[in-house]
Amino acid sequence: FGSLQLNDIIWGQGELLWGWLPKWGIVVQPIGFVLFMVAAVAEVKRAPFDLPEDESVLGAGYFTEFSAMRFAVFALGEFIGIIVMSALAACLFLGGWQIPWVDTPLLADGSVDYGWLTVMQVLTMVVKTLFMVFLFQQIRWTFPRIRYDQLMKLGWVYMLPLSIANLVVTAFVMYLAR
């Protein structure tokens, strides 16, 4: 979308492709979305990438060392990571606060007309973020835990070459689109 600022990326996703399809990141970069989701699940250490929480840790790890509020704050920090990654995914791939097929009205000076639409945009962002949290949970409930060697193979053998190929193809398409 020509920028690394989230607000510019969201504004860029407010357009329509072919007059009817939202130009969301998931539409123009589906491989990037899959790579982002795999990396995000691994980053927040949720199943199937919850390798620090394997069976040997469940009986004598940080689960037993912390109790009461210490454990609650620790667990809350992990769940906040899921919400942050979900909000970031909603901004990058689902159009953020943009409502599909609804134009954001601008005033004569170029500023946004704040009103009822702002409330709807906040609700849209919340719904998209909650959808991504739901997707995170579905991934967690669907796939079994993987071993360290499988994680290394996934990262180095599959994800790195696929991400580099995605980058090269995207750069080529952007060059042709000029």
Side-chain angles (χ1 to χ4, degrees):
F1 295 103
S3 176
L4 291 177
Q5 294 183 356
L6 285 178
N7 202 31
D8 293 341
I9 292 171
I10 292 170
W11 276 105
Q13 295 179 66
E15 302 170 10
L16 295 176
L17 293 172
W18 305 296
W20 63 275
L21 184 64
K23 190 180 174 183
W24 287 356
I26 196 169
V27 174
V28 296
Q29 276 290 341
I31 295 172
F33 175 73
V34 171
L35 290 170
F36 179 85
M37 285 303 294
V38 171
V41 172
E43 176 63 27
V44 296
K45 297 182 287 299
R46 304 307 288 172
F49 302 109
D50 58 345
L51 299 176
E53 301 171 2
D54 63 358
E55 287 82 11
S56 65
V57 175
L58 295 179
Y62 62 87
F63 284 116
T64 57
E65 294 173 5
F66 296 123
S67 64
M69 271 317 281
R70 288 183 184 167
F71 180 75
V73 170
F74 186 77
L76 183 65
E78 288 192 354
F79 284 112
I80 287 175
I82 293 174
I83 293 171
V84 168
M85 284 295 181
S86 297
L88 189 59
C91 288
L92 294 174
F93 295 103
L94 297 180
W97 45 263
Q98 294 279 354
I99 303 172
W101 307 289
V102 175
D103 289 330
T104 302
L106 297 176
L107 298 175
D109 63 353
S111 63
V112 177
D113 181 19
Y114 298 103
W116 65 271
L117 186 61
T118 302
V119 174
M120 294 304 296
Q121 288 174 335
V122 169
L123 290 176
T124 301
M125 183 65 189
V126 169
V127 167
K128 290 176 182 180
T129 301
L130 289 177
F131 172 75
M132 293 307 298
V133 169
F134 176 74
L135 188 60
F136 266 94
Q137 294 302 333
Q138 289 298 316
I139 291 169
R140 176 191 173 126
W141 296 329
T142 303
F143 296 106
R145 180 180 291 135
I146 63 174
R147 300 184 318 255
Y148 281 105
D149 64 320
Q150 293 170 328
L151 176 65
M152 293 297 124
K153 185 175 183 179
L154 174 69
W156 288 103
V157 175
Y158 298 112
M159 285 185 60
L160 182 64
L162 187 60
S163 63
I164 292 172
N166 189 32
L167 179 69
V168 169
V169 168
T170 302
F172 183 70
V173 168
M174 294 299 292
Y175 178 75
L176 292 179
R178 292 168 126 205

